[in-house]
Amino acid sequence: MWLTCSSIGRKLVMAVTGACLVLFITFHCLMNAVAIICPSGYNAVCEFLGANWYALVATVGLAALFIIHIIYAVWLTLQNRKARGADRYAVVSKPAEVEWASQNMLVLGIVIVAFLVVHMIQFWAKMQLAEILGTEYVHDGIEVNPAAGTLFLHIAFSQIWTPVVYIIGFIALWFHMNHGFWSMFQSCGWNGSTWLPRLKTIGCWWTTIVVALFIAEAVVFTVRAHSADFATEVKEYVMDNARTIDAPCGAQDCPSIIVVE
């Protein structure tokens, strides 16, 4: 099969999976922005993207994209090194058009994977996985609902090392995406002198905006996490997710019932 047996096929697989991951990262960035603008809306999104069948299918599909992208990245790197042979050890001057990111995509990818592992431990394992297993994460003696996204943001970013790790991960992501954005179009044949410079410009702007938003969100989440204690955040979450319904007695003076979802 040419997708696996040829270099062009492997690059095409890298391009397609990379494009899907760029779209997901953009969606994730916008989803995080909801947590700043409307925390209750963010919690609603987290509940919608819980352990429902469609969310699980999407999670499996996303994991497959990551795994395929990583496997093909390592495969192409080893193939290129084998093709160069001993020449890769020779000291040569690189042309100006060869970007630093293009020479270090594998290293950048490793940094991003390490960052992803930390991110999944802090969020996915305590939210969707916990919901699948029927357990709840306990923090400061309080059971946290797996759909309580704002509370998990508070827990994660109240740790002093979290924003440092995230910003390092975002910087690596900027270099990786900035090169990968236009490179995936080049792999699909869009390598003309007219469109390639345009795609490089679009990719730079797209990547810069997304990563800048990610960093800004991390800063806001950190400030919020250190401006209020966890008990206060829990009270706000309970109030935001409570709804008042009339008691079935029908009397005007009948007390209301507070139902926490």
Side-chain angles (χ1 to χ4, degrees):
M1 187 175 182
W2 71 277
L3 288 177
T4 57
C5 296
S6 69
S7 177
I8 296 176
R10 294 168 194 157
K11 289 181 179 180
L12 181 60
V13 172
M14 283 283 293
V16 173
T17 55
C20 294
L21 294 176
V22 167
L23 292 176
F24 168 75
I25 290 170
T26 304
F27 162 76
H28 199 351
C29 177
L30 297 176
M31 177 180 168
N32 287 354
V34 176
I36 297 176
I37 300 171
C38 180
S40 59
Y42 177 75
N43 289 325
V45 173
C46 290
E47 185 173 2
F48 176 75
L49 298 177
N52 305 295
W53 69 267
Y54 44 82
L56 293 177
V57 170
T59 300
V60 172
L62 183 62
L65 288 174
F66 269 109
I67 293 172
I68 293 173
H69 192 76
I70 292 171
I71 290 175
Y72 272 73
V74 175
W75 195 352
L76 283 171
T77 300
L78 294 177
Q79 174 189 336
N80 292 336
R81 290 187 176 182
K82 182 178 180 180
R84 289 196 301 266
D87 291 342
R88 70 179 183 271
Y89 299 109
V91 178
V92 296
S93 58
K94 298 176 182 177
E97 62 270 16
V98 177
E99 300 179 1
W100 177 86
S102 68
Q103 301 297 319
N104 297 275
M105 288 294 279
L106 184 61
V107 175
L108 292 169
I110 292 173
V111 174
I112 293 171
V113 170
F115 161 67
L116 178 63
V117 170
V118 174
H119 182 65
M120 291 184 67
I121 292 174
Q122 289 185 320
F123 293 96
W124 180 79
K126 298 174 183 177
M127 299 176 71
Q128 189 179 67
L129 180 60
E131 189 173 348
I132 294 172
L133 299 177
T135 61
E136 288 191 349
Y137 179 74
V138 178
H139 181 75
D140 287 347
I142 301 174
E143 291 187 351
V144 184
N145 187 336
T150 52
L151 297 185
F152 287 107
L153 285 174
H154 184 280
I155 294 171
F157 286 92
S158 62
Q159 303 175 77
I160 192 171
W161 56 268
T162 295
V164 176
V165 171
Y166 274 56
I167 290 175
I168 292 174
F170 292 148
I171 293 174
L173 182 63
W174 185 88
F175 282 105
H176 196 83
M177 280 182 57
N178 189 36
H179 173 76
F181 188 96
W182 63 264
S183 181
M184 64 186 180
F185 287 102
Q186 186 181 47
S187 298
C188 296
W190 289 27
N191 55 355
S193 59
T194 300
W195 270 102
L196 193 59
R198 295 176 181 176
L199 291 171
K200 286 185 177 183
T201 301
I202 294 172
C204 183
W205 275 102
W206 188 315
T207 303
T208 301
I209 291 173
V210 170
V211 171
L213 285 175
F214 267 132
I215 293 176
E217 289 161 357
V219 172
V220 172
F221 295 152
T222 301
V223 172
R224 283 185 176 179
H226 289 84
S227 62
D229 57 24
F230 184 67
T232 302
E233 292 290 331
V234 171
K235 291 179 181 178
E236 291 183 0
Y237 171 78
V238 171
M239 293 302 298
D240 286 340
N241 290 271
R243 60 184 176 88
T244 303
I245 61 174
D246 294 332
C249 60
Q252 293 183 354
D253 57 348
C254 182
S256 299
I257 300 175
I258 302 297
V259 179
V260 179
E261 298 178 328

